[in-house]
Amino acid sequence: NIAYPATGCQKLLKIDDEKILSVFYDKRIGQEVPADRLGDEWKGYILKISGGNDLQGFCMMQGVLTNTRVRLLFKDGMPNYRLRRSGVRKRKSVRGCIVDSQLSVLDLVIKRKGDGEITGLTDVTAHRRLGPKRVGKIRKLFNLSKEDDVRQYVDHRPLPEKDRKKARSKAPKIQRLDTPARIQRKRKVLALKRQRVE
């Protein structure tokens, strides 16, 4: 499974030839591999290994330096584990971060684009359905200053029209927006703090 972050597209390649796959064997997550062996169109491309799953569906985990499956004790804050109740630890099976022939899917990311275009991956751009929601991220995307009104730049998604009704659109609620109510609340909290000190 190869992803190209610049266009937001992904492509799934089914490869059975061991000669092609052998270039990835004994490499670890995070290492970069030249993609020339995948074919002439991949000339000059460099791929980074970002993960994968084995034949039974167990995912690879960064930092586990083996190519076999191991059972680790997971706690809150560790990758590949979601805490359901506070304080609970759980022993789970994960695969090591070294690639071998037992993997069913290998996740790769294009780090450097080559000379040619790859159909369905680098020649098209996937439309991003949802725009940014947080104030800082909207400002960064549109290169706005603190004085600009962020609400004018939020992404409006048109809804399908219903018969004899006005066209409507949907926009996300902007997070971390400095509204008058929020500024007033902040002043109130600071005033209470000062009172406590006095």
Side-chain angles (χ1 to χ4, degrees), residues 111-136:
K111 291 303 284 182
R112 198 174 78 203
K113 191 170 173 280
D115 310 323
E117 296 284 339
I118 288 153
T119 50
L121 191 62
T122 59
D123 58 347
V124 288
T125 305
H127 177 66
R128 202 174 157 191
R129 200 176 78 89
L130 301 173
K133 186 180 166 81
R134 195 190 295 174
V135 163

Side-chain angles (χ1 to χ4, degrees), residues 176-189:
R176 302 188 188 177
L177 188 66
D178 280 332
T179 57
R182 187 173 170 176
I183 293 163
Q184 194 177 359
R185 198 180 306 124
K186 204 172 181 181
R187 278 207 202 107
K188 187 183 169 185
V189 169

Side-chain angles (χ1 to χ4, degrees), residues 33-189:
V33 182
D36 300 342
R37 279 214 201 162
L38 296 175
D40 295 333
E41 57 182 5
W42 292 92
K43 208 167 188 65
Y45 279 83
I46 286 180
L47 305 173
K48 181 183 165 191
I49 299 167
S50 61
N53 292 66
D54 68 5
L55 298 160
Q56 285 74 37
F58 293 99
C59 61
M60 292 170 76
M61 184 174 167
Q62 177 69 289
V64 182
L65 297 176
T66 177
N67 57 4
T68 57
R69 206 184 297 161
V70 289
R71 283 175 63 78
L72 300 176
L73 191 64
F74 284 82
K75 63 177 187 176
D76 187 30
M78 288 175 77
N80 306 332
Y81 176 63
R82 202 176 99 220
L83 190 74
R84 297 295 187 337
R85 286 173 62 184
S86 64
V88 173
R89 296 187 302 168
K90 190 177 180 185
R91 197 170 292 281
K92 281 180 72 179
S93 289
V94 287
R95 193 154 205 60
C97 68
I98 298 169
V99 179
D100 74 340
S101 59
Q102 297 300 305
L103 296 178
S104 62
V105 178
L106 187 63
D107 301 327
L108 304 162
V109 178
I110 294 174
K111 291 303 284 182
R112 198 174 78 203
K113 191 170 173 280
D115 310 323
E117 296 284 339
I118 288 153
T119 50
L121 191 62
T122 59
D123 58 347
V124 288
T125 305
H127 177 66
R128 202 174 157 191
R129 200 176 78 89
L130 301 173
K133 186 180 166 81
R134 195 190 295 174
V135 163
K137 293 196 173 180
I138 297 168
R139 281 201 185 113
K140 190 178 172 186
L141 182 67
F142 294 106
N143 202 10
L144 306 174
S145 66
K146 294 262 184 185
E147 285 73 45
D148 293 318
D149 187 12
V150 178
R151 288 171 294 189
Q152 305 297 323
Y153 294 88
V154 75
D155 195 22
H156 285 266
R157 186 165 55 90
L159 293 172
E161 283 185 36
K162 290 185 177 172
D163 46 49
R164 290 171 304 189
K165 284 195 176 173
K166 207 165 80 174
R168 290 175 65 231
S169 66
K170 228 179 189 180
K173 177 179 175 282
I174 304 171
Q175 298 295 325
R176 302 188 188 177
L177 188 66
D178 280 332
T179 57
R182 187 173 170 176
I183 293 163
Q184 194 177 359
R185 198 180 306 124
K186 204 172 181 181
R187 278 207 202 107
K188 187 183 169 185
V189 169

